[in-house]
């Protein structure tokens, strides 16, 4: 079992920045990749960024150039630095730990005001 806990959400003005954190615990040896997803109001959950255990990173087109995913293996933590935020970035951001199965955090709300 893997437990995942996000933090760092909140209200930010358009153009601002915010950093989300995700701590994984439990059977972390089974994790092959970590990722950030978001669910905007009225929409399905979508991929934002992922990072594999080998450090391979991928971003959604909407995140490229503005968001950066990093990891601190010593702390079992993955970060999502979000810059130049837009109102359409508003949503619940979920962290996922992916291996044989995917473990989800409870999510953290990010609200970008115009």
């Amino acid at each position: 079992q893997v437990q995942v806990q996000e933090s760092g959400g909140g209200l930010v003005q358009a153009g601002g920045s915010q950093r989300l954190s995700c701590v994984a615990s439990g059977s972390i040896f089974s994790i092959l990749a970590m990722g950030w997803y978001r669910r905007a109001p009225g929409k399905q959950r979508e991929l934002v960024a992922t990072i594999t255990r080998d450090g391979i990173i991928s971003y959604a087109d909407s995140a490229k150039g503005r968001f950066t995913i990093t990891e601190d293996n010593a702390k079992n933590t993955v970060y999502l630095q979000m810059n130049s935020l837009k109102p359409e970035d508003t949503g619940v951001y979920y962290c996922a730990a992916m291996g044989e199965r995917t473990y989800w955090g409870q999510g953290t709300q990010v609200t970008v005001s115009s």
Side-chain angles (χ1 to χ4, degrees):
Q1 288 277 29
V2 175
Q3 294 77 44
V4 178
Q5 180 65 57
E6 309 96 336
S7 62
L11 176 64
V12 62
Q13 287 189 333
S17 298
Q18 201 158 48
R19 189 177 82 158
L20 306 181
S21 300
C22 171
V23 179
S25 59
S27 302
I28 58 174
F29 61 88
S30 67
I31 299 172
L32 300 178
M34 298 286 292
W36 286 98
Y37 293 73
R38 71 182 177 200
R39 176 177 285 139
K43 297 185 178 180
Q44 291 186 332
R45 187 160 53 191
E46 63 180 0
L47 169 71
V48 177
T50 60
I51 182 167
T52 71
R53 191 162 58 186
D54 297 329
I56 298 172
I57 293 173
S58 63
Y59 295 100
D61 287 343
S62 61
K64 289 177 181 177
R66 299 188 301 126
F67 294 3
T68 303
I69 186 170
T70 57
E71 62 182 354
D72 183 337
N73 290 325
K75 297 180 179 180
N76 299 325
T77 301
V78 173
Y79 303 96
L80 184 68
Q81 177 66 44
M82 304 184 291
N83 299 327
S84 302
L85 282 163
K86 306 174 182 179
E88 51 263 44
D89 293 318
T90 293
V92 179
Y93 283 70
Y94 297 90
C95 181
M98 296 166 279
E100 288 189 352
R101 59 161 289 186
T102 297
Y103 297 88
W104 295 94
Q106 292 187 329
T108 184
Q109 176 71 43
V110 173
T111 302
V112 184
S113 62
S114 57

